[in-house]
Amino acid sequence: MRDALERLARLQLPIWLVLPMVALALAIGLGGGYVGGIFLRPSTACPETTDICTSFENFWKTWDLARDKYVDPQAVMPQKMIDGAIEGMLDTLGDNGHTRYLAPDVARAEREELSGKFEGIGAYIDVKDGQPIIVQPMEGSPAEQAGLRPNDQILKVNGQDMQGVTVAELRNKVRGPKGTTVTLTIQHSGETTPIDITITRAEITSPSVSWHLLPNNVALIHLNQFSERSSEEMKQALKDARAQGASSIVLDLRNNPGGFVDELVGVASQFLPENTTVLIEQDRDGTQTPRKTTAGGVATDLPMVVLVNNNSASSAEILAGALKDAGRARLIGEPTFGTATVLQTFNLNGGAQVRIGTSQWLTPKGQVVRGKGIQPDEIVALAPDAAPLTPTNAAKLNAQELLNSSDAQLSRALAVLKGLAGQ
């Protein structure tokens, strides 16, 4: 991860209110004092309005009551209470899992993931409506080899109920040193009986781009996130695909959670002409700044279809929107998640971080994506028990098998490209 001003794609919130409150909450465990210009107890100077300052009295009363009256004194853990207070405050903004607080170990884990190297099972995870799920196992990972599938519900981890946990708590339970094991109680989509799956953790080195050449010279390219080397990996994949005779592209952005904005622009530059607007960044005051492609794209002329789904978020949906607005690609799948804003990372004490959405992204035509998502040109949903085909698995099928596969979104994309080739 880069420094505190490294920008990621996510959602917006009123930073003028959040940062003072974060500083105040972090200082609770210090037993008083002055941090960041804010006195901790409401009886001293407070920089907010009288109503807001008075409201903090209830916070302190609750803190004191929990500390002094709760039946189990061992359960009163100040740092956990501080973390919970910050997380709860940010959750009220309605951007759960995006604008968020990261405890030191979680911040470290996310930096490792975006660098493309970490230790764990190799799966993207999330929590939706309180239910932990597998978003997608990484290709070739222990998670995939053990049989985990997209949209699997994680009921338990090592026998512990996971209902209602946060993404950070879930990640901490699932990850661990290579060579150790973790047992997940999984409910496969479309099945009624949960099963236990034991997975041996490993060092995961995960390229963000994978691809294979399919029948009719279609390059199926899967971009799983926008990490530190994504644009370089995409450029190399496209060069290799063209060298092997690729004449069209299916760009799979399904289950892509987003990532670095610079990598987004770099990837878009491979498909769009130089100086094409990729996104418009809009600040809190309404100022708009376009971000445009650079020269040197290696696949600006190949016909292409883009696959998206409900888990295509932030950078992924902005890329899809840019290609759609430019008339460069046809979008097939389901509406995207709707998290197209820019996160700034602010470092806190002890290695913790808070990520704050400070501006939002619009599509080149000015469409707001936050809370709305990108609408595909064709709505195609997968059956509840179907999973997206990876490039490796798709390459094992012939042309007819691909068209008849359970991955209806990929099948439709191939049919569209076949129709374009026949024109």
Side-chain angles (χ1 to χ4, degrees), residues 154-216:
I154 306 173
L155 305 182
K156 298 179 181 179
V157 177
N158 290 331
Q160 182 178 352
D161 185 11
M162 289 292 105
Q163 183 70 30
V165 300
T166 65
V167 174
E169 291 169 337
L170 178 63
R171 181 185 289 109
N172 286 341
K173 296 290 184 182
V174 173
R175 281 195 178 178
K178 61 182 178 182
T180 61
T181 62
V182 60
T183 299
L184 306 184
T185 302
I186 292 295
Q187 178 81 58
H188 288 311
S189 180
E191 299 183 9
T192 57
T193 304
I195 61 173
D196 287 339
I197 298 178
T198 298
I199 307 170
T200 299
R201 301 179 178 102
E203 181 174 279
I204 308 296
T205 301
S206 175
S208 58
V209 177
S210 59
W211 79 280
H212 271 283
L213 193 65
L214 305 185
N216 300 316

Short mmCIF file of all heavy atoms in Angstrom, two decimals, residues 154-216:
data_model
loop_
_atom_site.label_atom_id
_atom_site.label_comp_id
_atom_site.label_asym_id
_atom_site.label_seq_id
_atom_site.Cartn_x
_atom_site.Cartn_y
_atom_site.Cartn_z
N ILE A 154 -20.36 -18.71 4.33
CA ILE A 154 -19.46 -19.20 5.37
C ILE A 154 -20.24 -19.18 6.68
O ILE A 154 -20.48 -18.11 7.26
CB ILE A 154 -18.20 -18.33 5.47
CG1 ILE A 154 -17.50 -18.20 4.11
CG2 ILE A 154 -17.24 -18.89 6.52
CD1 ILE A 154 -16.35 -17.21 4.11
N LEU A 155 -20.65 -20.34 7.15
CA LEU A 155 -21.44 -20.42 8.36
C LEU A 155 -20.58 -20.41 9.62
O LEU A 155 -20.91 -19.76 10.61
CB LEU A 155 -22.31 -21.69 8.33
CG LEU A 155 -23.22 -21.85 7.11
CD1 LEU A 155 -24.05 -23.11 7.24
CD2 LEU A 155 -24.11 -20.64 6.91
N LYS A 156 -19.45 -21.15 9.55
CA LYS A 156 -18.56 -21.24 10.71
C LYS A 156 -17.11 -21.27 10.24
O LYS A 156 -16.82 -21.70 9.12
CB LYS A 156 -18.85 -22.51 11.54
CG LYS A 156 -20.24 -22.58 12.14
CD LYS A 156 -20.43 -23.88 12.92
CE LYS A 156 -21.83 -23.98 13.51
NZ LYS A 156 -22.02 -25.25 14.25
N VAL A 157 -16.23 -20.82 11.11
CA VAL A 157 -14.79 -20.96 10.90
C VAL A 157 -14.22 -21.64 12.14
O VAL A 157 -14.35 -21.12 13.24
CB VAL A 157 -14.09 -19.60 10.67
CG1 VAL A 157 -12.59 -19.80 10.54
CG2 VAL A 157 -14.65 -18.92 9.42
N ASN A 158 -13.67 -22.83 11.92
CA ASN A 158 -13.17 -23.64 13.03
C ASN A 158 -14.22 -23.82 14.12
O ASN A 158 -13.95 -23.74 15.32
CB ASN A 158 -11.89 -23.03 13.62
CG ASN A 158 -10.71 -23.15 12.68
OD1 ASN A 158 -10.62 -24.08 11.88
ND2 ASN A 158 -9.78 -22.20 12.77
N GLY A 159 -15.46 -24.03 13.67
CA GLY A 159 -16.56 -24.29 14.59
C GLY A 159 -17.19 -23.07 15.20
O GLY A 159 -18.20 -23.18 15.92
N GLN A 160 -16.67 -21.88 14.94
CA GLN A 160 -17.21 -20.65 15.52
C GLN A 160 -18.18 -20.00 14.56
O GLN A 160 -17.88 -19.77 13.38
CB GLN A 160 -16.07 -19.68 15.85
CG GLN A 160 -16.54 -18.40 16.51
CD GLN A 160 -15.38 -17.48 16.89
OE1 GLN A 160 -14.22 -17.87 16.79
NE2 GLN A 160 -15.70 -16.27 17.32
N ASP A 161 -19.38 -19.68 15.05
CA ASP A 161 -20.42 -19.08 14.22
C ASP A 161 -19.96 -17.73 13.68
O ASP A 161 -19.45 -16.89 14.43
CB ASP A 161 -21.69 -18.90 15.07
CG ASP A 161 -22.88 -18.39 14.26
OD1 ASP A 161 -22.79 -18.37 13.03
OD2 ASP A 161 -23.89 -18.02 14.89
N MET A 162 -20.15 -17.51 12.39
CA MET A 162 -19.69 -16.28 11.73
C MET A 162 -20.81 -15.31 11.42
O MET A 162 -20.57 -14.25 10.84
CB MET A 162 -18.95 -16.63 10.43
CG MET A 162 -17.60 -17.29 10.63
SD MET A 162 -16.37 -16.17 11.37
CE MET A 162 -16.31 -16.81 13.05
N GLN A 163 -22.04 -15.63 11.77
CA GLN A 163 -23.14 -14.73 11.47
C GLN A 163 -22.93 -13.39 12.15
O GLN A 163 -22.69 -13.32 13.36
CB GLN A 163 -24.46 -15.35 11.93
CG GLN A 163 -25.70 -14.51 11.59
CD GLN A 163 -26.00 -14.48 10.09
OE1 GLN A 163 -25.70 -15.41 9.38
NE2 GLN A 163 -26.60 -13.39 9.63
N GLY A 164 -22.99 -12.30 11.39
CA GLY A 164 -22.91 -10.96 11.94
C GLY A 164 -21.52 -10.41 12.11
O GLY A 164 -21.37 -9.28 12.58
N VAL A 165 -20.48 -11.16 11.71
CA VAL A 165 -19.12 -10.63 11.86
C VAL A 165 -18.86 -9.57 10.80
O VAL A 165 -19.54 -9.49 9.78
CB VAL A 165 -18.06 -11.75 11.74
CG1 VAL A 165 -18.26 -12.80 12.81
CG2 VAL A 165 -18.06 -12.38 10.35
N THR A 166 -17.84 -8.77 11.03
CA THR A 166 -17.41 -7.80 10.03
C THR A 166 -16.45 -8.47 9.05
O THR A 166 -15.94 -9.57 9.30
CB THR A 166 -16.70 -6.61 10.69
OG1 THR A 166 -15.48 -7.08 11.30
CG2 THR A 166 -17.58 -5.97 11.76
N VAL A 167 -16.18 -7.79 7.94
CA VAL A 167 -15.21 -8.31 6.98
C VAL A 167 -13.84 -8.47 7.64
O VAL A 167 -13.14 -9.46 7.42
CB VAL A 167 -15.11 -7.39 5.75
CG1 VAL A 167 -14.00 -7.86 4.81
CG2 VAL A 167 -16.44 -7.36 4.99
N ALA A 168 -13.47 -7.49 8.47
CA ALA A 168 -12.17 -7.55 9.14
C ALA A 168 -12.08 -8.75 10.07
O ALA A 168 -11.08 -9.47 10.10
CB ALA A 168 -11.92 -6.24 9.90
N GLU A 169 -13.13 -8.99 10.84
CA GLU A 169 -13.15 -10.14 11.75
C GLU A 169 -13.09 -11.45 10.97
O GLU A 169 -12.38 -12.38 11.35
CB GLU A 169 -14.40 -10.09 12.62
CG GLU A 169 -14.40 -8.96 13.63
CD GLU A 169 -15.74 -8.76 14.30
OE1 GLU A 169 -16.77 -9.17 13.71
OE2 GLU A 169 -15.76 -8.18 15.40
N LEU A 170 -13.82 -11.51 9.88
CA LEU A 170 -13.82 -12.71 9.05
C LEU A 170 -12.44 -12.97 8.47
O LEU A 170 -11.93 -14.10 8.48
CB LEU A 170 -14.85 -12.56 7.93
CG LEU A 170 -14.96 -13.73 6.93
CD1 LEU A 170 -15.41 -14.99 7.63
CD2 LEU A 170 -15.92 -13.37 5.80
N ARG A 171 -11.81 -11.92 7.94
CA ARG A 171 -10.48 -12.07 7.35
C ARG A 171 -9.48 -12.58 8.39
O ARG A 171 -8.67 -13.46 8.11
CB ARG A 171 -10.00 -10.74 6.77
CG ARG A 171 -8.64 -10.82 6.12
CD ARG A 171 -8.14 -9.47 5.66
NE ARG A 171 -8.90 -9.00 4.50
CZ ARG A 171 -9.75 -8.00 4.53
NH1 ARG A 171 -9.99 -7.37 5.68
NH2 ARG A 171 -10.39 -7.62 3.45
N ASN A 172 -9.56 -12.06 9.62
CA ASN A 172 -8.64 -12.48 10.66
C ASN A 172 -8.83 -13.94 11.03
O ASN A 172 -7.87 -14.63 11.38
CB ASN A 172 -8.81 -11.60 11.90
CG ASN A 172 -8.24 -10.22 11.72
OD1 ASN A 172 -7.42 -9.98 10.84
ND2 ASN A 172 -8.68 -9.28 12.54
N LYS A 173 -10.07 -14.44 10.95
CA LYS A 173 -10.33 -15.83 11.27
C LYS A 173 -9.84 -16.77 10.16
O LYS A 173 -9.36 -17.87 10.43
CB LYS A 173 -11.84 -16.04 11.47
CG LYS A 173 -12.43 -15.30 12.65
CD LYS A 173 -11.96 -15.87 13.97
CE LYS A 173 -12.64 -15.18 15.13
NZ LYS A 173 -12.16 -15.70 16.44
N VAL A 174 -9.99 -16.34 8.91
CA VAL A 174 -9.70 -17.22 7.79
C VAL A 174 -8.20 -17.24 7.45
O VAL A 174 -7.64 -18.28 7.13
CB VAL A 174 -10.52 -16.81 6.55
CG1 VAL A 174 -10.10 -17.61 5.32
CG2 VAL A 174 -12.00 -17.00 6.82
N ARG A 175 -7.56 -16.10 7.53
CA ARG A 175 -6.13 -16.03 7.19
C ARG A 175 -5.26 -16.62 8.29
O ARG A 175 -5.68 -16.74 9.44
CB ARG A 175 -5.72 -14.59 6.92
CG ARG A 175 -6.10 -14.11 5.56
CD ARG A 175 -5.36 -12.84 5.22
NE ARG A 175 -5.69 -12.39 3.88
CZ ARG A 175 -5.22 -11.29 3.33
NH1 ARG A 175 -4.39 -10.53 4.01
NH2 ARG A 175 -5.57 -10.95 2.12
N GLY A 176 -4.03 -16.96 7.91
CA GLY A 176 -3.08 -17.48 8.89
C GLY A 176 -1.81 -17.93 8.20
O GLY A 176 -1.71 -17.91 6.97
N PRO A 177 -0.82 -18.34 8.98
CA PRO A 177 0.47 -18.73 8.40
C PRO A 177 0.35 -19.92 7.47
O PRO A 177 -0.48 -20.81 7.67
CB PRO A 177 1.31 -19.07 9.64
CG PRO A 177 0.63 -18.40 10.78
CD PRO A 177 -0.82 -18.39 10.45
N LYS A 178 1.20 -19.95 6.45
CA LYS A 178 1.21 -21.07 5.52
C LYS A 178 1.53 -22.36 6.27
O LYS A 178 2.28 -22.38 7.25
CB LYS A 178 2.23 -20.83 4.42
CG LYS A 178 3.67 -20.70 4.89
CD LYS A 178 4.60 -20.41 3.73
CE LYS A 178 6.05 -20.23 4.20
NZ LYS A 178 6.95 -19.91 3.07
N GLY A 179 0.90 -23.45 5.81
CA GLY A 179 1.09 -24.75 6.43
C GLY A 179 0.09 -25.07 7.51
O GLY A 179 -0.08 -26.23 7.89
N THR A 180 -0.62 -24.05 8.04
CA THR A 180 -1.66 -24.29 9.03
C THR A 180 -2.99 -24.55 8.31
O THR A 180 -3.15 -24.26 7.13
CB THR A 180 -1.82 -23.09 9.97
OG1 THR A 180 -2.18 -21.92 9.21
CG2 THR A 180 -0.50 -22.82 10.69
N THR A 181 -3.94 -25.10 9.03
CA THR A 181 -5.23 -25.43 8.43
C THR A 181 -6.35 -24.61 9.04
O THR A 181 -6.25 -24.13 10.18
CB THR A 181 -5.56 -26.93 8.59
OG1 THR A 181 -5.65 -27.24 9.99
CG2 THR A 181 -4.51 -27.79 7.93
N VAL A 182 -7.41 -24.45 8.29
CA VAL A 182 -8.62 -23.80 8.77
C VAL A 182 -9.81 -24.58 8.21
O VAL A 182 -9.79 -25.03 7.06
CB VAL A 182 -8.69 -22.32 8.33
CG1 VAL A 182 -8.67 -22.18 6.82
CG2 VAL A 182 -9.92 -21.63 8.91
N THR A 183 -10.82 -24.79 9.03
CA THR A 183 -12.01 -25.53 8.61
C THR A 183 -13.18 -24.56 8.48
O THR A 183 -13.56 -23.89 9.46
CB THR A 183 -12.37 -26.64 9.60
OG1 THR A 183 -11.28 -27.57 9.68
CG2 THR A 183 -13.62 -27.38 9.16
N LEU A 184 -13.74 -24.49 7.28
CA LEU A 184 -14.90 -23.65 7.01
C LEU A 184 -16.15 -24.52 6.89
O LEU A 184 -16.13 -25.53 6.18
CB LEU A 184 -14.71 -22.86 5.72
CG LEU A 184 -13.44 -22.02 5.57
CD1 LEU A 184 -13.50 -21.24 4.26
CD2 LEU A 184 -13.25 -21.09 6.74
N THR A 185 -17.20 -24.13 7.58
CA THR A 185 -18.50 -24.77 7.37
C THR A 185 -19.22 -23.96 6.30
O THR A 185 -19.53 -22.78 6.51
CB THR A 185 -19.31 -24.79 8.67
OG1 THR A 185 -18.57 -25.49 9.67
CG2 THR A 185 -20.65 -25.49 8.44
N ILE A 186 -19.44 -24.61 5.17
CA ILE A 186 -19.88 -23.93 3.96
C ILE A 186 -21.28 -24.39 3.55
O ILE A 186 -21.61 -25.58 3.61
CB ILE A 186 -18.89 -24.22 2.80
CG1 ILE A 186 -17.55 -23.57 3.08
CG2 ILE A 186 -19.46 -23.76 1.46
CD1 ILE A 186 -17.57 -22.06 3.12
N GLN A 187 -22.09 -23.44 3.13
CA GLN A 187 -23.38 -23.74 2.50
C GLN A 187 -23.28 -23.36 1.05
O GLN A 187 -23.25 -22.18 0.70
CB GLN A 187 -24.50 -22.95 3.17
CG GLN A 187 -25.88 -23.17 2.55
CD GLN A 187 -26.52 -24.44 3.08
OE1 GLN A 187 -26.69 -24.60 4.27
NE2 GLN A 187 -26.85 -25.35 2.17
N HIS A 188 -23.14 -24.36 0.15
CA HIS A 188 -23.09 -24.07 -1.28
C HIS A 188 -24.43 -23.51 -1.75
O HIS A 188 -25.49 -23.97 -1.31
CB HIS A 188 -22.78 -25.34 -2.08
CG HIS A 188 -21.37 -25.81 -1.95
ND1 HIS A 188 -20.28 -24.98 -2.09
CD2 HIS A 188 -20.87 -27.06 -1.72
CE1 HIS A 188 -19.17 -25.68 -1.95
NE2 HIS A 188 -19.49 -26.94 -1.71
N SER A 189 -24.37 -22.55 -2.66
CA SER A 189 -25.59 -21.99 -3.23
C SER A 189 -26.38 -23.08 -3.93
O SER A 189 -25.84 -23.88 -4.69
CB SER A 189 -25.24 -20.88 -4.23
OG SER A 189 -26.39 -20.33 -4.80
N GLY A 190 -27.69 -23.16 -3.64
CA GLY A 190 -28.55 -24.15 -4.27
C GLY A 190 -28.58 -25.49 -3.56
O GLY A 190 -29.32 -26.39 -3.97
N GLU A 191 -27.78 -25.65 -2.49
CA GLU A 191 -27.77 -26.89 -1.73
C GLU A 191 -28.30 -26.65 -0.32
O GLU A 191 -28.28 -25.53 0.19
CB GLU A 191 -26.35 -27.48 -1.68
CG GLU A 191 -25.80 -27.81 -3.07
CD GLU A 191 -24.42 -28.45 -3.02
OE1 GLU A 191 -23.96 -28.80 -1.90
OE2 GLU A 191 -23.80 -28.60 -4.09
N THR A 192 -28.78 -27.72 0.31
CA THR A 192 -29.46 -27.56 1.60
C THR A 192 -28.63 -28.01 2.79
O THR A 192 -28.90 -27.61 3.91
CB THR A 192 -30.78 -28.36 1.61
OG1 THR A 192 -30.49 -29.73 1.32
CG2 THR A 192 -31.74 -27.81 0.55
N THR A 193 -27.61 -28.83 2.56
CA THR A 193 -26.84 -29.40 3.66
C THR A 193 -25.47 -28.76 3.74
O THR A 193 -24.68 -28.85 2.79
CB THR A 193 -26.67 -30.92 3.50
OG1 THR A 193 -27.97 -31.52 3.37
CG2 THR A 193 -25.94 -31.52 4.69
N PRO A 194 -25.13 -28.11 4.85
CA PRO A 194 -23.79 -27.54 5.00
C PRO A 194 -22.73 -28.63 5.04
O PRO A 194 -23.00 -29.76 5.46
CB PRO A 194 -23.86 -26.79 6.34
CG PRO A 194 -25.32 -26.64 6.64
CD PRO A 194 -25.99 -27.81 6.02
N ILE A 195 -21.53 -28.28 4.62
CA ILE A 195 -20.41 -29.21 4.67
C ILE A 195 -19.20 -28.52 5.28
O ILE A 195 -19.06 -27.30 5.21
CB ILE A 195 -20.05 -29.76 3.28
CG1 ILE A 195 -19.64 -28.62 2.33
CG2 ILE A 195 -21.18 -30.58 2.69
CD1 ILE A 195 -19.10 -29.09 1.00
N ASP A 196 -18.33 -29.31 5.91
CA ASP A 196 -17.08 -28.79 6.43
C ASP A 196 -15.97 -29.01 5.41
O ASP A 196 -15.82 -30.12 4.87
CB ASP A 196 -16.70 -29.50 7.73
CG ASP A 196 -17.56 -29.07 8.91
OD1 ASP A 196 -18.16 -27.99 8.83
OD2 ASP A 196 -17.64 -29.83 9.89
N ILE A 197 -15.23 -27.95 5.13
CA ILE A 197 -14.10 -28.02 4.20
C ILE A 197 -12.85 -27.55 4.93
O ILE A 197 -12.79 -26.41 5.40
CB ILE A 197 -14.34 -27.15 2.95
CG1 ILE A 197 -15.58 -27.65 2.18
CG2 ILE A 197 -13.12 -27.17 2.03
CD1 ILE A 197 -15.91 -26.82 0.96
N THR A 198 -11.86 -28.43 5.06
CA THR A 198 -10.61 -28.09 5.71
C THR A 198 -9.57 -27.73 4.64
O THR A 198 -9.36 -28.50 3.69
CB THR A 198 -10.09 -29.24 6.57
OG1 THR A 198 -11.06 -29.52 7.60
CG2 THR A 198 -8.77 -28.89 7.23
N ILE A 199 -8.95 -26.58 4.80
CA ILE A 199 -8.03 -26.04 3.79
C ILE A 199 -6.69 -25.76 4.46
O ILE A 199 -6.63 -25.19 5.55
CB ILE A 199 -8.59 -24.74 3.18
CG1 ILE A 199 -10.02 -24.95 2.66
CG2 ILE A 199 -7.69 -24.23 2.07
CD1 ILE A 199 -10.72 -23.66 2.27
N THR A 200 -5.62 -26.18 3.80
CA THR A 200 -4.28 -25.86 4.27
C THR A 200 -3.85 -24.52 3.67
O THR A 200 -3.81 -24.36 2.44
CB THR A 200 -3.28 -26.95 3.88
OG1 THR A 200 -3.69 -28.20 4.48
CG2 THR A 200 -1.88 -26.61 4.37
N ARG A 201 -3.57 -23.58 4.52
CA ARG A 201 -3.15 -22.26 4.07
C ARG A 201 -1.79 -22.33 3.37
O ARG A 201 -0.98 -23.21 3.64
CB ARG A 201 -3.08 -21.28 5.24
CG ARG A 201 -4.40 -21.09 6.00
CD ARG A 201 -4.18 -20.11 7.13
NE ARG A 201 -5.38 -19.81 7.89
CZ ARG A 201 -5.65 -20.33 9.09
NH1 ARG A 201 -4.78 -21.18 9.64
NH2 ARG A 201 -6.74 -19.99 9.73
N ALA A 202 -1.56 -21.38 2.48
CA ALA A 202 -0.31 -21.34 1.72
C ALA A 202 0.08 -19.90 1.46
O ALA A 202 -0.70 -18.97 1.72
CB ALA A 202 -0.47 -22.09 0.39
N GLU A 203 1.29 -19.70 0.98
CA GLU A 203 1.68 -18.38 0.51
C GLU A 203 1.02 -18.17 -0.85
O GLU A 203 1.19 -18.96 -1.77
CB GLU A 203 3.19 -18.27 0.38
CG GLU A 203 3.63 -16.89 -0.09
CD GLU A 203 5.15 -16.73 -0.08
OE1 GLU A 203 5.70 -16.48 1.01
OE2 GLU A 203 5.76 -16.87 -1.15
N ILE A 204 0.25 -17.11 -0.93
CA ILE A 204 -0.51 -16.83 -2.15
C ILE A 204 0.19 -15.72 -2.93
O ILE A 204 0.36 -14.61 -2.44
CB ILE A 204 -1.96 -16.39 -1.82
CG1 ILE A 204 -2.64 -17.40 -0.88
CG2 ILE A 204 -2.75 -16.18 -3.10
CD1 ILE A 204 -2.82 -18.77 -1.47
N THR A 205 0.63 -16.06 -4.12
CA THR A 205 1.13 -15.05 -5.04
C THR A 205 0.13 -14.97 -6.17
O THR A 205 0.01 -15.89 -6.98
CB THR A 205 2.52 -15.42 -5.58
OG1 THR A 205 3.41 -15.54 -4.46
CG2 THR A 205 3.04 -14.34 -6.51
N SER A 206 -0.60 -13.90 -6.19
CA SER A 206 -1.77 -13.82 -7.06
C SER A 206 -1.62 -12.74 -8.12
O SER A 206 -1.78 -11.55 -7.83
CB SER A 206 -3.03 -13.53 -6.23
OG SER A 206 -4.15 -13.34 -7.07
N PRO A 207 -1.32 -13.14 -9.36
CA PRO A 207 -1.38 -12.14 -10.43
C PRO A 207 -2.82 -11.67 -10.59
O PRO A 207 -3.76 -12.43 -10.36
CB PRO A 207 -0.90 -12.91 -11.66
CG PRO A 207 -1.17 -14.34 -11.35
CD PRO A 207 -1.00 -14.48 -9.87
N SER A 208 -3.00 -10.43 -10.94
CA SER A 208 -4.37 -9.90 -11.07
C SER A 208 -5.00 -10.24 -12.41
O SER A 208 -6.21 -10.11 -12.57
CB SER A 208 -4.36 -8.38 -10.86
OG SER A 208 -3.51 -7.75 -11.79
N VAL A 209 -4.19 -10.68 -13.38
CA VAL A 209 -4.69 -10.99 -14.72
C VAL A 209 -4.40 -12.45 -15.05
O VAL A 209 -3.28 -12.93 -14.86
CB VAL A 209 -4.04 -10.08 -15.78
CG1 VAL A 209 -4.53 -10.46 -17.18
CG2 VAL A 209 -4.35 -8.61 -15.49
N SER A 210 -5.42 -13.15 -15.52
CA SER A 210 -5.24 -14.49 -16.07
C SER A 210 -6.02 -14.58 -17.37
O SER A 210 -7.03 -13.90 -17.55
CB SER A 210 -5.71 -15.57 -15.09
OG SER A 210 -7.08 -15.40 -14.77
N TRP A 211 -5.56 -15.41 -18.30
CA TRP A 211 -6.24 -15.48 -19.58
C TRP A 211 -5.96 -16.80 -20.29
O TRP A 211 -4.99 -17.50 -19.97
CB TRP A 211 -5.83 -14.31 -20.49
CG TRP A 211 -4.49 -14.51 -21.16
CD1 TRP A 211 -3.25 -14.31 -20.59
CD2 TRP A 211 -4.26 -14.99 -22.48
NE1 TRP A 211 -2.26 -14.61 -21.49
CE2 TRP A 211 -2.85 -15.03 -22.65
CE3 TRP A 211 -5.10 -15.37 -23.52
CZ2 TRP A 211 -2.27 -15.46 -23.86
CZ3 TRP A 211 -4.51 -15.78 -24.71
CH2 TRP A 211 -3.12 -15.83 -24.87
N HIS A 212 -6.84 -17.15 -21.24
CA HIS A 212 -6.63 -18.29 -22.14
C HIS A 212 -7.31 -17.97 -23.47
O HIS A 212 -8.29 -17.22 -23.52
CB HIS A 212 -7.22 -19.58 -21.58
CG HIS A 212 -6.26 -20.36 -20.73
ND1 HIS A 212 -5.24 -21.12 -21.24
CD2 HIS A 212 -6.17 -20.47 -19.38
CE1 HIS A 212 -4.55 -21.68 -20.26
NE2 HIS A 212 -5.10 -21.29 -19.11
N LEU A 213 -6.79 -18.56 -24.52
CA LEU A 213 -7.40 -18.42 -25.84
C LEU A 213 -8.46 -19.50 -26.00
O LEU A 213 -8.18 -20.69 -25.85
CB LEU A 213 -6.34 -18.54 -26.93
CG LEU A 213 -6.76 -18.11 -28.34
CD1 LEU A 213 -7.06 -16.61 -28.38
CD2 LEU A 213 -5.68 -18.47 -29.36
N LEU A 214 -9.69 -19.08 -26.32
CA LEU A 214 -10.81 -19.99 -26.51
C LEU A 214 -11.04 -20.24 -28.00
O LEU A 214 -10.42 -19.59 -28.86
CB LEU A 214 -12.06 -19.40 -25.86
CG LEU A 214 -11.96 -19.01 -24.38
CD1 LEU A 214 -13.32 -18.54 -23.86
CD2 LEU A 214 -11.45 -20.17 -23.54
N PRO A 215 -11.92 -21.19 -28.34
CA PRO A 215 -12.25 -21.41 -29.75
C PRO A 215 -12.67 -20.10 -30.45
O PRO A 215 -13.17 -19.17 -29.81
CB PRO A 215 -13.41 -22.40 -29.68
CG PRO A 215 -13.17 -23.17 -28.41
CD PRO A 215 -12.61 -22.16 -27.46
N ASN A 216 -12.47 -20.06 -31.73
CA ASN A 216 -12.76 -18.88 -32.57
C ASN A 216 -11.86 -17.70 -32.22
O ASN A 216 -12.23 -16.54 -32.47
CB ASN A 216 -14.24 -18.49 -32.46
CG ASN A 216 -15.17 -19.60 -32.92
OD1 ASN A 216 -14.93 -20.23 -33.96
ND2 ASN A 216 -16.21 -19.86 -32.15
#
